[in-house]
Amino acid sequence: MKRIAAVITLLIVTVGTLFFAYESQSEEQHDGFTAYRLIAHAMGSIRDQPYTNAYEAMIANYEKGTRVFEIDFMLTTDRVAVARHEWTANMSKLLGQEEELPEDKQAGALTHDEFMNTPILGIYQPMDADGIINVLAQYPDMYIVTDTKEQKNEDIQQVLSSLVNAAKKKDPSVLDRIVVQIYNEPMLETVKEIYALPSIIYTLYATQDTETQVVDFVEKNDIDAVTMPEYKVNQNFVAKLKKAGAVTYVHTINDTDQVANYEKWGVYGVYSDVLTEEELDQMNTRFAWKP
């Protein structure tokens, strides 16, 4: 009987501790885009298809409760910023555009007109900077996170300038809901040269900086959030980032059990192709048991 009582006590303590961890995180106060724990990767999947960056994917996932959308940005040949992950034959195939585009257009950048007039999967609408800003203006609780796939500094500036200029024309208040993802420390200054956008995410997949360097940069520059691939996550690093003032996201996670495991390490949220904010909220209520 004593052994059974000890086991029951241990279970109560363990579950209570687990609840406390979730409850403590849920009670943290966050605003702006960090009020949300889910960031839709490439606008989120639509009909199980990721990477579309399409208008319909954005709206469908918004209607499911998602409010923060990461969007891939590339430049067309005439230097217009559009929502596209890459200009490759594989991406054209993934997006079902092989029959829509001539063979010599499938593996390279398109003009703006060609891009906008080539449906995704035959039915979905591609998006440019103007279209994205129009959607932001229509949905005042929506945020976008930029993932500028261009590598050259002048091209990154062109993408950001396109968004800023479109916002100034349509509705300047939208600028408060554009979150810029930076890939290294110097890019922060590049962003500031275009416009002092208020929210920054530092993504770590491309940087060679040490954890100490990242934490120091985050603290000195009031960086809102840090996102990283799974292989860079560890509990000590996440704790140091939190102390420095940044919430932590992990990408790309499509399973709620993985989300739960990372939350135990103090990770705040995830980028996902298929999960929604509502699913993460429902997942948390599963652990809301009080001893």
Side-chain angles (χ1 to χ4, degrees):
M1 289 297 293
K2 288 183 178 180
R3 181 175 294 178
I4 293 173
V7 171
I8 291 172
T9 300
L10 180 60
L11 285 172
I12 290 173
V13 171
T14 301
V15 175
T17 301
L18 182 61
F19 167 77
F20 178 77
Y22 279 88
E23 185 73 4
S24 297
Q25 181 155 298
S26 66
E27 289 177 355
E28 294 176 8
Q29 297 299 312
H30 299 284
D31 55 17
F33 79 94
T34 62
Y36 303 98
R37 295 165 48 234
L38 191 287
I39 298 177
H41 179 233
M43 295 194 195
S45 294
I46 182 167
R47 294 184 181 177
D48 298 322
Q49 177 63 61
Y51 289 103
T52 66
N53 286 287
Y55 168 80
E56 290 84 357
M58 196 177 198
I59 300 306
N61 287 296
Y62 179 89
E63 291 175 349
K64 293 177 182 178
T66 298
R67 294 295 180 266
V68 187
F69 297 84
E70 184 241 30
I71 303 174
D72 301 315
F73 284 99
M74 297 289 291
L75 292 175
T76 61
T77 56
D78 42 349
R79 298 188 64 76
V80 178
V82 295
R84 174 87 174 202
H85 187 268
E86 58 191 46
W87 298 118
T88 64
N90 284 337
M91 184 55 59
S92 294
K93 181 178 180 180
L94 181 70
L95 300 180
Q97 296 176 325
E98 288 180 302
E99 294 184 5
E100 302 281 349
L101 293 168
E103 188 173 350
D104 63 332
K105 293 284 187 177
Q106 292 177 20
L110 303 174
T111 67
H112 178 243
D113 283 345
E114 288 169 339
F115 175 81
M116 294 300 293
N117 289 296
T118 305
I120 296 166
L121 301 175
I123 55 174
Y124 300 131
Q125 177 61 48
M127 297 196 76
D128 59 10
D130 286 340
I132 291 164
I133 294 300
N134 287 340
V135 174
L136 274 176
Q138 186 178 353
Y139 296 89
D141 59 346
M142 180 186 285
Y143 296 79
I144 65 165
V145 175
T146 66
D147 189 2
T148 47
K149 296 300 185 181
E150 299 292 349
Q151 301 297 310
K152 296 179 181 178
N153 197 54
E154 60 268 29
D155 293 339
I156 293 171
Q157 289 179 319
Q158 179 64 25
V159 169
L160 296 178
S161 293
S162 296
L163 288 167
V164 169
N165 292 337
K168 286 180 176 179
K169 290 178 183 177
K170 180 67 178 181
D171 179 359
S173 70
V174 165
L175 291 165
D176 291 338
R177 292 183 282 119
I178 298 175
V179 183
V180 177
Q181 207 169 231
I182 63 172
Y183 309 91
N184 50 58
E185 294 186 12
M187 188 175 167
L188 182 60
E189 294 307 313
T190 300
V191 174
K192 290 179 179 178
E193 288 173 8
I194 302 301
Y195 188 84
L197 291 159
S199 299
I200 300 290
I201 294 179
Y202 188 9
T203 184
L204 304 185
Y205 74 84
T207 183
Q208 298 301 312
D209 287 354
T210 65
E211 291 181 3
T212 299
Q213 288 174 311
V214 171
V215 171
D216 185 58
F217 176 73
V218 164
E219 188 169 26
K220 288 181 178 177
N221 294 279
D222 295 321
I223 302 299
D224 302 280
V226 172
T227 186
M228 65 187 80
E230 294 185 77
Y231 69 87
K232 289 200 172 187
V233 184
N234 69 73
Q235 197 166 0
N236 185 52
F237 187 27
V238 170
K240 288 180 178 178
L241 288 169
K242 182 177 179 180
K243 187 176 180 181
V247 298
T248 306
Y249 293 87
V250 179
H251 60 81
T252 303
I253 309 298
N254 292 323
D255 180 81
T256 54
D257 287 337
Q258 284 184 283
V259 176
N261 288 333
Y262 282 124
E263 283 193 341
K264 293 174 191 175
W265 288 9
V267 170
Y268 179 70
V270 298
Y271 288 45
S272 181
D273 296 310
V274 297
L275 300 178
T276 66
E277 187 74 27
E278 187 174 286
E279 285 180 289
L280 265 61
D281 288 341
Q282 290 173 350
M283 181 196 78
N284 265 2
T285 59
R286 290 188 290 141
F287 295 92
W289 179 87
K290 294 185 178 181

